[in-house]
């Protein structure tokens, strides 16, 4: 199969790779439907890299696919099930994991960064990383489940209440998802964004005011 690989510092290459097969009883193999490109991917490919990654890995950590080969545990997704993947893998056994801080896991790994990811026709992942998704969700939207999950977590940490005014700085994909989510949650969202296309999308998604920081001083408005 052809896969987009982190070939060396500063370079992505489409390379021929053997299709992955299950190795552990808990593995599943997915046929990829769609995979996003994250700002982190761009940082990985910076010179020097702005984010660590393993040279040679298949990139892509925002993906949706259909189970081609299922794990042995009957409770896991079955062949034909459509799933999105939580790409961060932790062991569940080390002291950090036991404290609930799985993001500090001693053997932390991420599909698409330190293990092969979704910019390929097929990928091997743990069954426990798979989350079922409805058949009617278009693949290009389902691939946004991973960045959306970080936005939902961020919104929970921010603890914005309905009726409050909140400022979102930057209307890239994540900023736009914050704008939509916080607006739906009842907040008034002011967005700071200089690029006209992104500013327009922020307004479409519910921003009550979009500030161009080149022309206006955001602090005077907030
Ligand atoms: Zn990402
Ligand atoms: Zn751990």
């Amino acid at each position: 199969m052809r896969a987009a690989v982190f070939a060396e510092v500063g370079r992505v290459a489409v390379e021929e790779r053997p299709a992955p097969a299950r190795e552990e009883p808990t593995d599943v193999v997915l046929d990829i439907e769609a995979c996003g490109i994250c700002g982190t991917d761009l940082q990985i490919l910076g010179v020097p890299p702005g984010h660590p990654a393993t040279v040679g890995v298949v990139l892509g950590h925002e993906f949706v696919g259909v189970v081609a080969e299922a794990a042995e545990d009957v409770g896991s997704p079955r062949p034909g099930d459509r799933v999105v993947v939580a790409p961060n893998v932790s062991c569940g056994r080390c002291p950090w994991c036991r404290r609930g801080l799985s993001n500090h896991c001693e053997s932390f790994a991420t599909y698409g960064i330190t293990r092969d990811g979704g910019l390929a026709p097929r990928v091997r992942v743990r069954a426990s990383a798979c989350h079922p998704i409805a058949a009617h969700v278009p693949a290009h939207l389902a691939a946004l489940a991973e960045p959306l999950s970080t936005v939902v977590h961020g919104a929970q940490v921010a603890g914005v209440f309905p009726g409050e005014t909140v400022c979102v700085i930057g209307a890239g994909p994540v900023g736009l998802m914050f704008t939509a989510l916080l607006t739906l949650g009842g907040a008034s969202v002011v967005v700071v964004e200089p690029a006209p296309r992104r500013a327009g999308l922020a307004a479409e998604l519910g921003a009550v005011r979009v500030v161009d920081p080149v022309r206006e001083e955001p602090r005077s408005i907030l």
Side-chain angles (χ1 to χ4, degrees), residues 104-222:
H104 292 280
C105 175
E106 289 172 2
S107 48
F108 190 78
T110 305
Y111 299 120
I113 295 179
T114 57
R115 294 187 190 177
D116 286 345
L119 283 173
R122 277 199 160 193
V123 66
R124 173 179 57 240
V125 295
R126 276 190 197 172
S128 59
C130 297
H131 300 269
I133 190 155
H136 70 270
V137 182
H140 69 286
L141 294 182
L144 291 172
E146 190 274 340
L148 178 63
S149 72
T150 69
V151 169
V152 170
H153 177 68
Q156 286 170 338
V157 172
V160 179
F161 277 75
E164 285 186 321
T165 298
V166 58
C167 178
V168 172
I169 298 174
V174 167
L176 289 169
M177 282 192 263
F178 266 113
T179 301
L181 183 66
L182 294 170
T183 298
L184 288 168
S188 296
V189 181
V190 176
V191 175
V192 179
E193 172 58 57
R197 184 156 179 272
R198 290 181 167 194
L201 287 169
E204 260 180 58
L205 289 170
V208 295
R209 181 87 151 78
V210 183
V211 180
D212 178 351
V214 178
R215 296 184 188 174
E216 297 174 289
E217 170 52 61
R219 274 175 298 190
S220 69
I221 290 154
L222 292 163

Side-chain angles (χ1 to χ4, degrees), residues 90-94 96-97 102 105-107:
S90 51
C91 74
R93 295 184 297 274
C94 74
W96 293 105
C97 283
S102 57
C105 175
E106 289 172 2
S107 48

